[in-house]
Amino acid sequence: MDDLQNVPYSILRDAYGPPERPARGRSLKVFTSVVASVVFLVSLVGLIVNQFPETGEVPRLSTPTTSSLGGDEERLPLPRGVAEGVSAKSYPSLSDSASYNWTESMLAWERTAYHFQPPKNWMNDPDGPLFHKGWYHLFYQYNPDSATWGNITWGHTVSTDLIHWLYLPLALIPSEWFDWNGCWTGSATILPGRDIKMLYTGDTVDAVQVQNLAYPSNLSDPLLLNWTKYENNPVLVPPEGIGLTDFRDPSTAFLGPDSEWRVVIGSVINTTGIALVFHTTNFTSYDLVDHVLHSVEGTGMWECIDFYPISTNSSVGLDTSVVGPNVKHVLKASIDDLKLDYYAIGTYDPDNDTWTPDNAALDVGIGLRYDYGWWYASKTFYDPVKERRILFGWINETDTEKDDFAKGWASVQAIPRVVLYDNKTGANVLEQPVEEIESLRLNSTTFEDILVEAGSAIQLDIGNATQLDIIAEFEIQGTDSLKAMAFTESNISECIDAETKTSYGPFGVAVLADESFSELTPIYFRVVKDDDGNLTTYFCADESRSSLAPEVLHTVYGTDVPVLDGEKFALRILVDHSIVESFAQGGRRVITSRVYPTQAIYGAAKLFVFNNATGINVTATLKIWELESAFIRPYPLNHI
Ligand code: DQQ
């Protein structure tokens, strides 16, 4: 951080004041922009010709597929994000529900203590994470004006440990015709010599999705405060056959054997989600590869594609261009129709720019998810300091927009996770919170081998229970005989609520519970034995009783999770006020819950271990740390 001493800073503008956006309809610049955009649209037709030759092996690109309600059906006004083809408020349909009678102190309690969030207003996707001169940089989709999606700029923050964050001035604001309606999601590429190229989607003055290039104005600035937009933006427009609003979120580029960079961009053809590949040598001009990297029928628009190598024989992360023996590639798409992030592990052929999943049944959009709760639009980057690949994800709200306006903010970023290949299963990645979170640990309490009998709940006396790091392991008593036991639940093939008692579960931990259980959020396992005697373990989080507020979403999240021979049932849970991030079996499966308790808050929030099974007793061993708050505040720019 010595570089800091040599950089002359001046404050650009108030970090959270309105962006300096030219007044519409007044300036010559706007007039020029409009003219330019008309020229742009006219020239689009010319630009797209022959960009996507047919090969016969890939989905045929047809007429542009801009969405339309069609017919004479009744048209309800859509929230702006939905209308513009991107994710907006998660549950606009709940907006009309009767609101709980929230008090100021209830709403204040919901704000997190160690998850990153701006001081106020709306945030969504993480953008362009990178490491530069001693700082981890995170950019994010941000509305400087309101607690709902719109006027999307790039917020900017830095950290030395991915836990304590300093707010910086906005990095990108809509200012030109090519991003007039928003500076949308993008990714950073670090070039040899540590030059930085940032590609981002611009929503043009005509609501066309184009790709733009930006770069740091001063690479020797560790804070990367100033960004320059390339003068000849956009660098990419929707190719022939791609809808003008179906072309967004450029990936981090990776270098191929021909010394050309590859950038992957998501789209859709009819209902087939696709990953387009472009080659570039200079980040200003691009060639579209004549076939897709990959596509999956019926998965809809692929947003925020992430594509990166993963080592199968070591526990280090790999830089984005690495290929070779013992390397597989993860392809992730954010499935727009579902607002869920799906990934698959497979093999990348760098000569042909194709990727094949290891298991077609677990392909992108139909197989594994990074997170089985409420978490989206994720993005990884390679951390050269600790040689690890780090995953950021956006945790949206599941309350109403009206509640968000009352809070004055919406959304947080998940605790960054390290991603590794699970070489025990060979079938999934492992996600674990970055180790730096442990620096927040205060006092801990340990409970060894406590017997939790069938049908019981035990309160764990740990003091403050709203900021916690919990490690818990469960063993079923007499596991050896489980296969011999008579009970079967062949009718259960997914997570069901925590109240329903079955032979082998649920058992787990109830967080943010008040003593009378008027509110609680159980995180648990349920073992199910089918008629053939096969055991499946489900890992679930039940929000159905997490809040007395009627208007918030009450969901039971979950999935099956491999529990291998010799393994205990293992949980890691991070509780941070209204966020609960839960990791099962070392991060084989993850569930993020968004909860809005009204009673189980402040000192009334308690922690329980419970066993709602009818046929088994379990023993539980837990270590629980109270976590202190992270320092998340403005960077003291005026003190430099
Ligand atoms: N959010 C951005 C888009 C992206 C979507 C707009 C995903 O670029 O596709 O805010 O949440």
Side-chain angles (χ1 to χ4, degrees):
M1 252 171 276
D2 293 346
D3 295 339
L4 268 180
Q5 312 309 321
N6 307 322
V7 181
Y9 289 110
S10 58
I11 300 175
L12 297 181
R13 62 183 73 86
D14 287 346
Y16 294 96
E20 289 168 0
R21 204 148 176 253
R24 293 181 196 222
R26 267 196 294 144
S27 73
L28 180 60
K29 196 169 176 184
V30 174
F31 175 71
T32 313
S33 299
V34 171
V35 171
S37 73
V38 170
V39 172
F40 161 70
L41 276 180
V42 171
S43 59
L44 252 184
V45 177
L47 278 170
I48 59 183
V49 170
N50 288 333
Q51 283 208 47
F52 209 127
E54 291 172 43
T55 64
E57 299 163 10
V58 294
R60 182 115 166 67
L61 303 180
S62 53
T63 321
T65 53
T66 35
S67 52
S68 129
L69 286 171
D72 295 326
E73 47 208 322
E74 191 184 349
R75 288 161 197 244
L76 298 172
L78 290 171
R80 183 174 159 202
V82 176
E84 293 188 25
V86 296
S87 44
K89 178 67 200 167
S90 44
Y91 286 99
S93 59
L94 291 183
S95 305
D96 295 333
S97 310
S99 262
Y100 189 78
N101 195 13
W102 297 101
T103 64
E104 287 289 327
S105 90
M106 286 173 190
L107 294 177
W109 180 89
E110 287 176 10
R111 197 169 165 87
T112 59
Y114 61 85
H115 281 75
F116 176 78
Q117 55 182 128
K120 61 180 181 178
N121 295 330
W122 167 271
M123 171 175 67
N124 54 298
D125 318 354
D127 290 321
L130 61 92
F131 181 82
H132 181 70
K133 293 186 181 291
W135 293 99
Y136 294 104
H137 289 252
L138 175 66
F139 305 85
Y140 50 91
Q141 298 280 283
Y142 179 63
N143 182 350
D145 303 325
S146 168
T148 189
W149 188 91
N151 314 316
I152 291 294
T153 67
W154 275 36
H156 185 189
T157 185
V158 286
S159 171
T160 55
D161 62 1
L162 297 162
I163 297 296
H164 304 287
W165 292 97
L166 297 166
Y167 305 123
L168 288 175
L170 300 176
L172 294 174
I173 59 173
S175 61
E176 309 298 327
W177 69 267
F178 53 76
D179 59 13
W180 187 253
N181 276 308
C183 298
W184 288 2
T185 279
S187 306
T189 301
I190 311 290
L191 278 65
R194 302 210 64 79
D195 190 8
I196 298 170
K197 303 288 185 198
M198 192 69 86
L199 289 172
Y200 71 97
T201 296
D203 189 19
T204 71
V205 69
D206 298 302
V208 174
Q209 292 168 12
V210 299
Q211 314 314 322
N212 299 319
L213 171 65
Y215 43 86
S217 310
N218 175 10
L219 255 186
S220 61
D221 174 3
L223 297 182
L224 299 174
L225 287 177
N226 293 299
W227 289 80
T228 303
K229 295 176 185 174
Y230 173 55
E231 58 185 358
N232 290 325
N233 274 333
V235 293
L236 273 172
V237 299
E240 182 182 11
I242 295 296
L244 301 183
T245 58
D246 299 329
F247 182 58
R248 56 184 182 269
D249 311 332
S251 73
T252 293
F254 47 99
L255 210 46
D258 52 7
S259 299
E260 295 190 354
W261 293 94
R262 279 91 166 127
V263 175
V264 182
I265 301 178
S267 189
V268 65
I269 301 215
N270 299 322
T271 58
T272 300
I274 62 172
L276 301 164
V277 188
F278 294 85
H279 281 207
T280 184
T281 53
N282 52 15
F283 287 82
T284 57
S285 60
Y286 294 78
D287 292 316
L288 175 62
V289 172
D290 64 5
H291 54 270
V292 294
L293 178 74
H294 193 59
S295 64
V296 181
E297 264 178 41
T299 53
M301 174 69 195
W302 286 7
E303 302 186 308
C304 304
I305 291 183
D306 201 16
F307 186 63
Y308 59 88
I310 194 161
S311 169
T312 56
N313 69 343
S314 77
S315 51
V316 296
L318 300 176
D319 207 345
T320 314
S321 300
V322 173
V323 288
N326 304 313
V327 173
K328 287 184 182 283
H329 275 72
V330 174
L331 176 62
K332 184 277 301 189
S334 299
I335 305 295
D336 191 22
D337 290 348
L338 305 172
K339 299 289 179 278
L340 299 172
D341 275 19
Y342 278 83
Y343 77 91
I345 301 172
T347 303
Y348 169 54
D349 176 353
D351 294 318
N352 195 32
D353 284 316
T354 53
W355 173 91
T356 314
D358 285 353
N359 179 352
L362 295 181
D363 208 338
V364 177
I366 57 173
L368 296 170
R369 288 165 51 186
Y370 275 146
D371 195 302
Y372 289 80
W374 204 238
W375 184 97
Y376 190 60
S378 63
K379 189 174 295 300
T380 63
F381 80 107
Y382 175 67
D383 171 11
V385 184
K386 294 199 172 179
E387 292 187 287
R388 56 189 176 169
R389 182 155 288 272
I390 291 174
L391 172 67
F392 282 94
W394 160 44
I395 306 173
N396 199 349
E397 307 290 321
T398 56
D399 61 357
T400 63
E401 200 161 66
K402 190 173 166 198
D403 291 348
D404 294 342
F405 289 136
K407 297 201 298 274
W409 59 270
S411 304
V412 307
Q413 299 294 332
I415 293 300
R417 302 171 184 169
V418 173
V419 187
L420 290 170
Y421 180 73
D422 185 351
N423 46 29
K424 285 194 188 161
T425 64
N428 56 273
V429 298
L430 297 173
E431 296 162 62
Q432 287 156 359
V434 291
E435 62 187 4
E436 287 88 337
I437 187 98
E438 293 165 27
S439 69
L440 297 180
R441 286 175 173 173
L442 298 168
N443 51 302
S444 69
T445 317
T446 302
F447 301 87
E448 294 264 8
D449 284 332
I450 40 176
L451 175 65
V452 196
E453 293 185 331
S456 71
I458 300 169
Q459 186 176 336
L460 302 174
D461 189 10
I462 54 155
N464 192 343
T466 55
Q467 294 174 211
L468 299 177
D469 184 352
I470 303 168
I471 291 179
E473 285 188 341
F474 297 85
E475 284 182 276
I476 296 177
Q477 289 202 323
T479 311
D480 293 346
S481 62
L482 202 58
K483 286 194 176 172
M485 288 175 77
F487 311 111
T488 59
E489 265 103 21
S490 50
N491 56 333
I492 299 174
S493 60
E494 56 186 15
C495 275
I496 53 174
D497 67 84
E499 275 187 89
T500 304
K501 297 174 191 289
T502 55
S503 307
Y504 316 119
F507 55 87
V509 173
V511 303
L512 301 174
D514 60 347
E515 277 176 357
S516 65
F517 283 166
S518 71
E519 289 178 333
L520 72 166
T521 301
I523 318 292
Y524 50 96
F525 295 103
R526 186 191 295 278
V527 183
V528 171
K529 188 159 119 178
D530 68 20
D531 295 335
D532 298 327
N534 302 313
L535 298 175
T536 305
T537 301
Y538 291 97
F539 163 53
C540 322
D542 179 359
E543 296 179 354
S544 49
R545 289 169 61 197
S546 61
S547 173
L548 295 178
E551 76 270 27
V552 307
L553 199 65
H554 294 92
T555 307
V556 180
Y557 292 115
T559 174
D560 57 319
V561 57
V563 180
L564 306 183
D565 282 349
E567 289 184 346
K568 297 178 180 168
F569 298 90
L571 282 180
R572 169 98 183 263
I573 304 173
L574 299 175
V575 180
D576 187 7
H577 297 253
S578 53
I579 305 289
V580 183
E581 291 188 66
S582 306
F583 304 78
Q585 304 310 118
R588 241 171 237 155
R589 299 289 190 272
V590 185
I591 302 175
T592 296
S593 309
R594 201 66 229 272
V595 291
Y596 305 91
T598 63
Q599 311 299 305
I601 56 177
Y602 298 105
K606 307 291 179 196
L607 182 69
F608 292 81
V609 61
F610 73 95
N611 174 12
N612 247 350
T614 53
I616 50 165
N617 295 331
V618 299
T619 51
T621 294
L622 303 98
K623 186 158 186 180
I624 300 148
W625 289 265
E626 185 181 351
L627 294 186
E628 66 178 328
S629 303
F631 284 110
I632 301 177
R633 58 204 152 104
Y635 192 101
L637 288 173
N638 46 357
H639 292 151
I640 294 176

